[in-house]
Amino acid sequence: MTEGGTWTVLPLTEAAEYLTDAQLYQAASANLLTVGDDVRFAHQLLQEYFTALAMQQRIFAPLPGAQPLAATAIWRPVCWWEPTNSEEATILLAGLDSADCSRVVHWVADANPEVAARCIVESGAGTPDETKLALRERWLPRLTDMQGDPNPRARAAVGRALGMVTLQDGTPLDNRPGVSYRLHGGVALPDMRWGKVVPAGSYAIGGDGDAWNSFDAQSVPIGRPYQLARYPVTVAQFDCFVRAADVDDERWWAGMPEDEKYRARISDSWWTEANRPRERVTWYQAVAFCRWLDHHYRAAGWIEPEAEIVLPHEYEWEVAARYAGDGKTDERVYPWGSAPISAEYANYDDTGLGQTSAVGIFPTGHQPELNLYDLSGNVWEWCRNKYGDPQDERVDDSSATRTLRGGSWFVSSIYARVTFRYQSLPNFRNLDNCLGFRCVVRRPPSQ
């Protein structure tokens, strides 16, 4: 077995030193080995099983004088997020401790959080909440640690680890404010956390000649103070709606085409980790979610009677992205300012993740004046107005395209500019698995 925990293929002449001809014949006859110019395990699972047994000894019961096998010998700190050929063997190793795989999980937890999470989810072994809570304390700081995990692929892997693990009662392990849900009267409601308030007023938008179909430079009125949600709606939060007893209430779906209504029309998320942004969402479903959330937040007393939770108008979206404080916008190119976009700031195609990422793992790219994350990249965000007529916010059964803002993991940097306007049919959901949304709470006019 190599240092990385895998079995090598033995040339036939070398294998003969360990196995007699009869043993080789028996193993081949039993379909355990294939014998040719070299000797191989006939089934990959056998190789991984025996690798797991060898790892178990080298980690927990090394021979006298031998150093225990360290997880960092397999997953090197400089590129631990890169796949090796030891992941499946490690999951099998965790399964050997069927009652409690905690010792394997703790062994790998710092070296490769994602493999540790897979051990919990896939090994079939038990894992007490005490172990999971200890992992949360170790992993949460790494989500935004630009010094310890500067490569976004590393932070994305930590995010996946946190997103796939739940406690015994089903609560997601990632409990950051604004990412999961909270209970009210036994009902799971999204734990929305809002950015700082944008006051009512007149704001400059548009005027970006380098952004496709940017508005012309103009001033737009914002009639009510508002707050965008800190993050796009996550898988865990949207699941609250999908699983709600009242998801099919006609009030949420009023005015929409019949074939776009109700839970039966909701597609599964392509990526299922609880802390990722929910994608494959139609404009109609985003509107229905906001109506449902508004009703339950109002009933819980979590918003003022005169406030409302809706999809943001694209004016609100752009003003928030460009907000500079003191009731003014500036000419920034991205939510963080005018520094050129790079993998340090956002999840777009050049970042190299090739998928969505847990929300909030690009702290350098947040909107600092309002404390908003993922405005550029990750998923496109639906806005409530029609693309061809921004004054039209009606929910109807027309096929008029609605506006999208912010770019996504799939597209280039030009789409991530705060002035870039995009569009899609309101019933479209499968645009490269990157159609999501965030909510806005519009405060009472006098606030």
Side-chain angles (χ1 to χ4, degrees), residues 180-182 188-191 235-245 289 292:
S180 186
Y181 60 81
R182 48 182 165 158
L189 296 177
D191 177 27
V235 170
Q237 292 171 337
F238 197 74
D239 279 353
C240 293
F241 174 55
V242 175
R243 297 171 181 171
F289 174 94
W292 170 84

Side-chain angles (χ1 to χ4, degrees), residues 202-206 217-220 318-319 322 327-331:
S202 183
Y203 291 91
I205 65 168
Q218 59 185 285
S219 181
V220 295
E318 183 173 330
V319 167
R322 297 175 61 174
K328 298 178 182 178
T329 54
D330 59 21
E331 296 182 354

